[in-house]
Amino acid sequence: MISTVWKTIKKGELAPVYLLVGEESYFIDETIKRIKEAMGPEDELEISTFDLDEVPVDAVMDEADTIPFFSAQKLIIAKNTSFLKATEKGKEKIDHDVKRLETWLSNPSDFSVTVFIAPYEKLDERKKVTKMMKEHALLVEAETPKEQDLAVWIQSNVKAQGNSITQDAIELLVTMVGANMLQLQMEIDKLTLYLGEGGEITVSLVEDLVAKTLEQDAFKMLNAYLANDSVSALSIYHDLLRQKQEPIMLVGLLASNVRTMSNVFYLLKKGYHPQQIAKNLKIHPYRVKLMTEQRNRPSEESLLRALYQLAEVDLQLKSTGGNRERYLELFLLRQL
């Protein structure tokens, strides 16, 4: 677990070589930040950064083997360690001396901390250099946590700032922000700053303070329409128009949500668990939960009819002029 690595870093127990693998930039940036803090004041720290898409790995090893002038240790950051992933022969940007790196990894300099960053989904495990890197470097997996782990991370993050958060608020926060760790951190900081110490983050607070996305507003508008609540649907639509959103884009979002909803209900009828549905459709489990918990779930015929009518609105918007806002407005006014 990345939290275990962070604890050892905080104690000042630094490894000579780190390998950061994964596409979650928050964990990469946070790990480097914590290493810097553990090594002392940044203005007194010698830091060298290399882009391995631009320079050979020899430059990293040469720098790591050079004794620091102004501090006991120095930090070397090597970005884009692309030679650890699968590449076509002849397509490599730089000729890296991986044989030298394999030898160097077994005896790295003790006065340097070298961080290799591989911001990729997976590495080529067949390569000897990948095996050597994993054997001798401290591996940090910078991956977006699974749903349950993400909830635990949010809870512990909020707790560390002296507050608490309800389970419903966690689910809503993830739905509104997504699994973007950096954005989640920013929203948590904003919520806890508003509360002060000792408060509780609730659903209503998340709704009031977390910025809403266009997709969420479109989903709310669709739900109001499917519930035959024309007043609420039109209210959301007019708010979006005031925000200068284009009707044709809103039609596309509504159609996309109808298709997703139709697929969710179909898989549910086939006996799939909500978690399986979320995985198959590649959507957040909380979105599936919201759809499956609807009191008046629309029928398959209703959804198909809505999709057909949205296709007609799309055609009208693309082929006729006049008051473009009116076409989608009329659709929202029709009862299913």
Side-chain angles (χ1 to χ4, degrees), residues 135-180:
E135 183 182 341
H136 294 286
L138 182 54
L139 177 66
V140 177
E141 294 181 339
E143 298 175 344
T144 302
K146 303 275 189 300
E147 183 197 359
Q148 193 54 43
D149 293 334
L150 191 59
V152 171
W153 177 81
I154 291 170
Q155 207 160 34
S156 62
N157 201 314
V158 171
K159 187 179 178 181
Q161 299 193 47
N163 293 289
S164 60
I165 182 169
T166 67
Q167 187 60 39
D168 286 344
I170 290 174
E171 291 178 350
L172 180 58
L173 182 62
V174 173
T175 304
M176 294 181 73
V177 178
N180 184 315

Side-chain angles (χ1 to χ4, degrees), residues 59-330:
V60 174
M61 292 181 285
D62 290 342
E63 183 61 35
D65 289 339
T66 304
I67 297 171
F69 290 106
F70 306 109
S71 56
Q73 278 188 309
K74 61 180 176 179
L75 176 64
I76 295 97
I77 300 168
K79 298 180 178 180
N80 300 318
T81 315
S82 55
F83 54 80
L84 295 178
K85 65 174 185 173
T87 49
E88 277 186 63
K89 279 196 172 182
K91 296 283 185 180
E92 301 91 347
K93 293 182 182 178
I94 300 289
D95 185 20
H96 296 286
D97 190 348
V98 293
K99 293 292 183 187
R100 181 189 167 193
L101 177 60
E102 288 164 8
T103 304
W104 180 86
L105 283 167
S106 60
N107 189 29
S109 314
D110 57 5
F111 47 75
S112 298
V113 174
T114 307
V115 181
F116 289 93
I117 302 172
Y120 318 114
E121 186 180 354
K122 58 183 178 179
L123 305 182
D124 188 345
E125 304 291 343
R126 299 166 299 177
K127 291 183 175 181
K128 184 183 176 183
V129 66
T130 303
K131 292 173 184 173
M132 290 289 289
M133 188 71 83
K134 285 192 167 185
E135 183 182 341
H136 294 286
L138 182 54
L139 177 66
V140 177
E141 294 181 339
E143 298 175 344
T144 302
K146 303 275 189 300
E147 183 197 359
Q148 193 54 43
D149 293 334
L150 191 59
V152 171
W153 177 81
I154 291 170
Q155 207 160 34
S156 62
N157 201 314
V158 171
K159 187 179 178 181
Q161 299 193 47
N163 293 289
S164 60
I165 182 169
T166 67
Q167 187 60 39
D168 286 344
I170 290 174
E171 291 178 350
L172 180 58
L173 182 62
V174 173
T175 304
M176 294 181 73
V177 178
N180 184 315
M181 302 295 290
L182 182 59
Q183 192 63 36
L184 279 170
Q185 181 68 65
M186 289 169 66
E187 294 297 346
I188 289 169
D189 290 345
K190 180 170 70 179
L191 289 162
T192 52
L193 184 64
Y194 174 84
L195 272 179
E197 199 166 334
E200 183 179 61
I201 297 172
T202 60
V203 166
S204 59
L205 192 66
V206 172
E207 286 176 339
D208 290 342
L209 293 186
V210 176
K212 295 174 181 62
T213 65
L214 180 58
E215 287 78 8
Q216 288 153 13
D217 284 334
F219 185 62
K220 275 189 176 181
M221 181 166 58
L222 176 63
N223 280 341
Y225 166 74
L226 293 174
N228 290 321
D229 184 358
S230 301
V231 174
S232 297
L234 286 172
S235 175
I236 297 168
Y237 178 51
H238 291 149
D239 280 344
L240 291 171
L241 289 178
R242 280 191 286 273
Q243 295 169 31
K244 307 295 182 187
Q245 301 296 344
E246 280 291 323
I248 196 164
M249 182 173 63
L250 296 176
V251 168
L253 282 172
L254 287 172
S256 174
N257 276 312
V258 170
R259 281 191 290 270
T260 299
M261 198 173 284
S262 180
N263 288 332
V264 166
F265 295 152
Y266 173 77
L267 292 174
L268 202 62
K269 195 165 65 175
K270 288 288 184 182
Y272 282 72
H273 188 273
Q275 292 284 349
Q276 293 174 302
I277 295 172
K279 188 176 180 181
N280 282 337
L281 299 180
K282 296 182 178 177
I283 59 176
H284 195 273
Y286 191 61
R287 276 190 72 191
V288 177
K289 182 183 176 184
L290 289 176
M291 291 178 191
T292 55
E293 287 181 352
Q294 286 176 320
R295 288 181 185 177
N296 301 312
R297 190 183 299 173
S299 66
E300 189 176 340
E301 294 76 19
S302 296
L303 290 173
L304 288 172
R305 193 158 56 247
L307 200 57
Y308 176 76
Q309 290 172 4
L310 282 167
E312 285 187 331
V313 175
D314 184 68
L315 181 61
Q316 288 171 327
L317 286 168
K318 289 175 179 175
S319 58
T320 59
N323 190 342
R324 291 168 58 79
E325 292 82 5
R326 185 67 63 190
Y327 298 119
L328 185 52
E329 195 171 65
L330 289 171

